Amino acid sequence: FCFLSQVSPASTLLDVKHKFHKACPQWYPSRVGLQLERNGPFLKDSISIQSLAVSSIITLYFTDLGQQVGWTTFFLTEYTGPLLIYLLFYIRLSTIYDQVESRKNFRHPVVHLACFCHCLHYIRHLLETLFVHKFSEGHTPLKNMIKGCAFYWGFTSWIAYYINHPRYTPPSFGHKQVSYAALAFLMCEAGNHFINVALAHQTNSGNRTCFPSPTYNPFTWLFLLVSCPNYTYEAGSWISFTVMTQTLPVGIFAFLMVIQMSLWAQKKHKLYLKRFYPEVRRKAAMIPIIF
């Protein structure tokens, strides 16, 4: 039990967490979850005490959320790993590949193109994390970051090992397959970026009364068909990368990413339906007609 006195009605729950931290130094604010009832939903830091008060005494239940990391740290760590890991395989370290075999075998141009596309993808993610995305009340359990890093870093190692292997064979349909797939990849990357910028602009302007609408930019026209076009473009990037490299590990990774993003899109679509029903009701979540 921890009793906090002299808490003004205008105080927020974040202020309460700071007072709680002073009383119990081992529980820093981002690790504290507060609930009005046991097993109830966690309350947001921005909620004021006066909105909860029914008397001069309020009982809140505390849950230890575990060690926390900021969302910016989470994404920077998750995306920096694949960028560096892929480059280690690309330079064909002697500890990974046989050097005699590496010198003998000519690298097909698609190997260099795949490295460029892969690096472009994660550099875009890193730059958007730093300069585009805005994270609210940004903390997540450390275990989530460990799981995310294990997934992305592990798959990147598997993907990079095969594509940069001295015995890698190019796609079956040659230059045409590589060119069309690379063009589709670049278009999806551009589309994903412009959608993220549009969503960030809506957040920064404070206009949350209506669903994001397409602009003069053709890449934003996907808002007419789906409510989560950023996931559509992300899935398109990995499918294009799979076609471009024609590699099984990439295909498996793309398949898992499409499943995961479709689940995220369905969840976000339900939230959009509650907030923007008239604008969203005729849209799909991620893929037109199907999802």
Side-chain angles (χ1 to χ4, degrees), residues 6-251:
Q6 297 179 346
V7 179
S8 68
S11 299
T12 64
L13 287 185
L14 183 59
D15 298 327
V16 173
K17 288 182 180 181
H18 282 292
K19 282 182 172 289
F20 181 57
H21 177 54
K22 287 182 180 180
C24 305
Q26 69 269 35
W27 309 118
Y28 51 89
S30 64
R31 189 165 182 160
V32 174
L34 296 178
Q35 302 150 287
L36 275 176
E37 54 187 28
R38 290 174 185 172
N39 302 321
F42 292 110
L43 302 170
K44 292 184 177 181
D45 290 348
S46 57
I47 293 177
S48 64
I49 294 297
Q50 59 190 4
S51 65
L52 301 175
V54 292
S55 67
S56 60
I57 298 176
I58 302 175
T59 301
L60 296 174
Y61 294 91
F62 155 67
T63 299
D64 176 19
L65 299 176
Q67 191 169 352
Q68 303 286 299
V69 293
W71 280 110
T72 301
T73 303
F74 176 93
F75 287 116
L76 289 179
T77 305
E78 192 173 70
Y79 296 142
T80 301
L83 180 63
L84 299 178
I85 290 170
Y86 196 97
L87 290 174
L88 289 177
F89 282 91
Y90 177 72
I91 62 177
R92 289 183 176 176
L93 292 175
S94 58
T95 54
I96 301 175
Y97 302 113
D98 181 76
Q99 291 301 294
V100 176
E101 194 173 29
S102 296
R103 284 192 292 268
K104 281 183 180 179
N105 292 342
F106 167 76
R107 287 203 200 197
H108 193 276
V110 72
V111 175
H112 303 295
L113 181 61
C115 181
F116 170 78
C117 291
H118 192 275
C119 291
L120 176 68
H121 178 78
Y122 284 103
I123 289 173
R124 177 184 64 79
H125 273 306
L126 289 170
L127 292 177
E128 287 178 351
T129 299
L130 292 172
F131 304 111
V132 176
H133 297 303
K134 303 297 179 184
F135 304 107
S136 59
E137 300 185 7
H139 292 91
T140 186
L142 177 63
K143 62 181 181 180
N144 288 349
M145 188 177 80
I146 294 173
K147 288 191 292 185
C149 288
F151 178 77
Y152 278 97
W153 295 15
F155 261 104
T156 298
S157 301
W158 192 25
I159 289 168
Y161 175 79
Y162 273 82
I163 295 177
N164 296 290
H165 198 283
R167 297 184 186 179
Y168 169 76
T169 53
S172 304
F173 298 98
H175 179 71
K176 281 189 176 180
Q177 179 177 340
V178 173
S179 300
Y180 289 138
L183 180 61
F185 177 88
L186 294 175
M187 290 180 65
C188 288
E189 287 294 299
N192 203 337
H193 172 69
F194 288 122
I195 292 297
N196 287 332
V197 169
L199 292 172
H201 177 72
Q202 184 204 26
T203 302
N204 291 340
S205 64
N207 181 20
R208 293 172 175 267
T209 58
C210 60
F211 185 75
S213 58
T215 65
Y216 63 88
N217 188 334
F219 288 103
T220 64
W221 295 350
L222 202 55
F223 272 124
L224 295 171
L225 300 175
V226 297
S227 60
C228 303
N230 51 326
Y231 294 142
T232 308
Y233 282 123
E234 183 79 6
S237 291
W238 285 111
I239 292 172
S240 302
F241 194 76
T242 302
V243 175
M244 182 176 69
T245 58
Q246 196 172 301
T247 310
L248 180 62
V250 185

